[in-house]
């Protein structure tokens, strides 16, 4: 029984480590999306954090796509952003949420190799899903593959080498002074 318990503890610790690794890589994916938005808008990082800080990954991705399309960004980044959204919508986002936010219970059918993860919102709310260490490793690899694909496209498009610009708050007062209400360009 002691051997069985120690094996269970080892696998559970491995699962915890993998979940932490998924969180880390997901944060990096969200950061790449944020940087793309900041560079497309040509804002400094502080202003950029204000713009994107409250966005979950899908709204962030949609914003990046809309900006890239509107600003006619290089095709490589537009394609990578659309591919990222497709990957997220086809299950990566749901798998990540299940693994990160799901409540974990002992799997009565396989107590050693997997646990039951249960989400109480979203699709399949309340339905337990067995997730093994192998499943978590695959999720981690899929997040990294998505992240690297987007990073490569952002690099190739030149967005990551683009310097951040002055914050809008330092530019706005100059614009306001030069467009005083007393000066009108129209003649009645």
């Amino acid at each position: 029984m002691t051997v069985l318990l120690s094996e269970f503890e080892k696998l559970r610790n491995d699962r915890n480590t993998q979940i932490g690794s998924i969180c880390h890589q997901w944060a990096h994916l969200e950061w790449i999306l944020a940087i793309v938005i900041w560079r497309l808008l040509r804002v400094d990082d502080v202003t950029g954090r204000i713009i994107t800080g409250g966005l979950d990954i899908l709204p962030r991705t949609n914003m990046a796509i809309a900006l890239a399309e509107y600003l006619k960004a290089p095709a490589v980044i537009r394609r990578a952003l659309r591919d990222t959204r497709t990957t997220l919508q086809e299950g990566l986002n749901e798998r990540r949420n299940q693994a990160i936010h799901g409540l974990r219970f002992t799997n009565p059918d396989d107590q050693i190799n997997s646990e039951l993860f249960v989400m109480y919102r979203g699709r399949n709310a309340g339905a337990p899903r067995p997730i093994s260490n192998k499943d978590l490793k695959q999720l981690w690899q899929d997040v990294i593959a998505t992240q690297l694909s987007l990073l490569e496209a952002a690099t190739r498009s030149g967005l990551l080498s683009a310097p951040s610009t002055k914050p809008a708050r330092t530019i706005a007062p100059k614009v306001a002074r030069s467009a005083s209400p007393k000066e009108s360009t129209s003649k009645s």
Side-chain angles (χ1 to χ4, degrees):
M1 183 68 173
T2 308
V3 172
L4 186 62
L5 184 58
S6 66
E7 184 66 20
F8 172 77
E9 288 172 352
K10 180 185 178 305
L11 289 168
R12 186 164 179 113
N13 286 340
D14 287 349
R15 244 174 252 131
N16 291 338
T17 300
Q18 288 182 27
I19 289 169
S21 296
I22 292 165
C23 289
H24 174 77
Q25 295 304 328
W26 194 265
H28 196 72
L29 176 59
E30 288 183 325
W31 175 80
I32 294 167
L33 285 163
I35 290 292
V36 166
I37 292 168
W38 305 350
R39 296 306 181 256
L40 286 168
L41 290 173
R42 296 184 178 157
V43 296
D44 66 292
D45 294 354
V46 174
T47 305
R49 285 193 304 268
I50 293 167
I51 293 167
T52 61
L55 297 176
D56 287 335
I57 198 158
L58 283 170
R60 191 176 289 202
T61 305
N62 287 332
M63 179 187 284
I65 291 168
L67 287 169
E69 296 291 337
Y70 176 73
L71 297 171
K72 296 178 180 31
V76 65
I77 191 65
R78 288 183 287 161
R79 187 172 37 258
L81 288 166
R82 288 190 303 270
D83 290 348
T84 298
R85 178 174 58 192
T86 299
T87 300
L88 291 168
Q89 291 174 331
E90 288 180 348
L92 187 65
N93 192 40
E94 184 177 348
R95 287 171 48 217
R96 177 263 183 193
N97 286 342
Q98 185 91 36
I100 304 305
H101 300 296
L103 297 174
R104 295 162 57 186
F105 300 97
T106 300
N107 184 350
D109 298 327
D110 186 4
Q111 294 181 16
I112 297 297
N113 297 311
S114 69
E115 290 179 295
L116 296 177
F117 287 64
V118 180
M119 289 285 293
Y120 288 98
R121 63 180 185 172
R123 280 193 290 183
N124 303 316
R129 177 177 172 218
I131 299 179
S132 67
N133 285 3
K134 183 179 176 183
D135 296 328
L136 291 172
K137 182 178 181 181
Q138 185 61 55
L139 174 57
W140 176 74
Q141 290 171 336
D142 292 347
V143 172
I144 289 175
T146 304
Q147 174 200 114
L148 290 176
S149 178
L150 185 58
L151 183 61
E152 178 187 348
T155 302
R156 285 181 44 212
S157 68
L159 285 175
L160 297 186
S161 60
S164 58
T165 60
K166 291 184 179 179
R169 61 184 148 71
T170 62
I171 297 168
K174 294 176 186 174
V175 173
R177 280 195 302 271
S178 66
S180 98
K182 294 179 184 175
E183 300 172 11
S184 175
T185 57
S186 65
K187 298 198 180 198
S188 315

